[in-house]
Each structure stands twice: as C-alpha cells, then as structure tokens.
Amino acid sequence: MNAPDKRHLQLDEKALDRARQHLDDGAVTPSYGPWRDEIVKLLNGALATELVCVLRYKRHYFTAHGLSAPRIAEEFLEHANAESGHADRLAERIVQLGGSPDFNPDSLTQRSHAGYDESDNIKAMVRSNLVAERVAVESYRQMINLIGDKDPTTRRILEEVLADEEEHADELADMLKE
Ligand SMILES: [Fe+2]
Ligand SMILES: [Fe+2]
C-alpha cells in the first residue's frame, strides 16, 4: 500500500503554521479566505429559502388540518421540521465560516429562492410546495457546482440537504398523482 501523498493534502509546514496562528478564528483556515465571503453569501440565500419554506409548510400544515386532510397535513409538518433543521445547519456553517447568519424577516421573501404560498385548497398547496422544492433542488445543485472543491465541508452539508429536497419533491409528486 502506498503512503498517502502529502502534496495532495496541501498541508506543508507553512500552511500548518498559518493554521496554528489562526486557531482563534475557529474552523476558518486561511485557505478559505478568497472564497469565504462568496460562500457565506450563497449560504445566506439558502438560509432565507429554508426559513420561507418553514413558514409555508407550517401554514399549510395548520390549513390542511382545518380542511380535514390530516395525512397530508402531517406530511407538511414533517417537511416544515426538515426545512427548519436545514436552516439550522446552514446558520451553523455560516458562523463557522466567520459570517453572520441573516434571519431578518423584513427581507426574507426577497432573499429566498422559493416563494411563500397562501393557497386554500390541498391540491394548490401540494403543487406550490412541489414548485418550491424543485427551485430548492436546482439552487442547491448550482451552489454545489459553484463551490466545487473550494470548501468540502460546506459542499457535504449542501449535498445532504439536496438529497432531502429531492426526497421531498418525490413525495409531493406522488401526492399529486393520488
Ligand atoms: Fe430544506
Ligand atoms: Fe424540502
């Protein structure tokens, strides 16, 4: 078995020294420097999207219950909780990168990729959630491409979130067929 090639790790003595000097900055190491602001910006866009999705799904959850559609309502609640978990992971990563997570409600819908929805019937709710999930899937795919190998930790988080959004979209597409 070959020993791991140190060159691929890009951790020569100089890089290690720089990393030690910046230990106070938490997880932020100098190699993130040039990309950090851009990545934080992307993550804040995704955070706004997740927060709007939480609000939309919560509204749909309570409204669907009122329309005697408890099974679909429960599905909406599950999605609301999943989106809330995504928002938490994104906010946590923004802070790890030394950025500031933007929870400002005034600008939330302008910054979100996906829309809010006030439909009053189940079919329209399911359809609007499906559209929002497809928007989320597409925006996460684009973010993952943009980040490439610049920040593997952020990339892994986004890939896991993307997998959840694809599952959500599939579930909603199935509901529309019923
Ligand atoms: Fe999400
Ligand atoms: Fe989702």
Side-chain angles (χ1 to χ4, degrees):
M1 205 172 75
N2 293 327
D5 187 342
K6 250 193 162 180
R7 277 170 308 176
H8 291 308
L9 298 173
Q10 295 187 320
L11 275 178
D12 56 27
E13 277 309 308
K14 261 190 195 163
L16 283 172
D17 276 348
R18 279 201 306 274
R20 284 186 205 110
Q21 276 166 22
H22 292 273
L23 276 181
D24 283 347
D25 295 340
V28 183
T29 55
S31 58
Y32 284 149
W35 319 106
R36 194 180 65 179
D37 290 351
E38 285 311 306
I39 290 173
V40 166
K41 232 180 261 171
L42 290 174
L43 290 175
N44 262 320
L47 175 61
T49 305
E50 295 292 351
L51 293 171
V52 167
C53 288
V54 172
L55 295 173
R56 193 190 59 253
Y57 273 125
K58 281 269 181 167
R59 187 208 171 262
H60 287 180
Y61 162 63
F62 287 106
T63 310
H65 250 303
L67 295 170
S68 304
R71 197 181 57 76
I72 288 176
E74 287 310 315
E75 200 73 49
F76 289 162
L77 180 61
E78 257 178 47
H79 286 202
N81 292 335
E83 314 304 7
S84 177
H86 295 162
D88 290 349
R89 294 189 73 187
L90 296 168
E92 186 182 42
R93 185 62 187 150
I94 290 167
V95 171
Q96 283 172 353
L97 289 169
S100 172
D102 191 346
F103 283 86
N104 189 338
D106 287 342
S107 55
L108 216 47
T109 45
Q110 287 94 61
R111 293 184 293 113
S112 169
H113 304 304
Y116 184 68
D117 176 77
E118 295 185 318
S119 304
D120 278 322
N121 74 79
I122 299 286
K123 258 234 151 97
M125 286 185 230
V126 173
R127 207 173 289 127
S128 88
N129 289 326
L130 179 57
V131 169
E133 294 290 353
R134 282 183 177 156
V135 168
V137 164
E138 188 49 38
S139 71
Y140 280 118
R141 275 192 194 140
Q142 287 182 17
M143 285 172 68
I144 289 164
N145 279 338
L146 281 169
I147 288 173
D149 53 10
K150 295 180 190 81
D151 178 350
T153 304
T154 299
R155 189 195 162 106
R156 197 176 55 242
I157 293 168
L158 297 179
E159 283 169 347
E160 286 168 13
V161 171
L162 171 62
D164 287 349
E165 310 303 12
E166 284 172 338
E167 212 178 289
H168 291 169
D170 280 348
E171 286 164 9
L172 292 159
D174 286 346
M175 275 184 221
L176 269 188
K177 284 181 215 145
E178 284 170 13

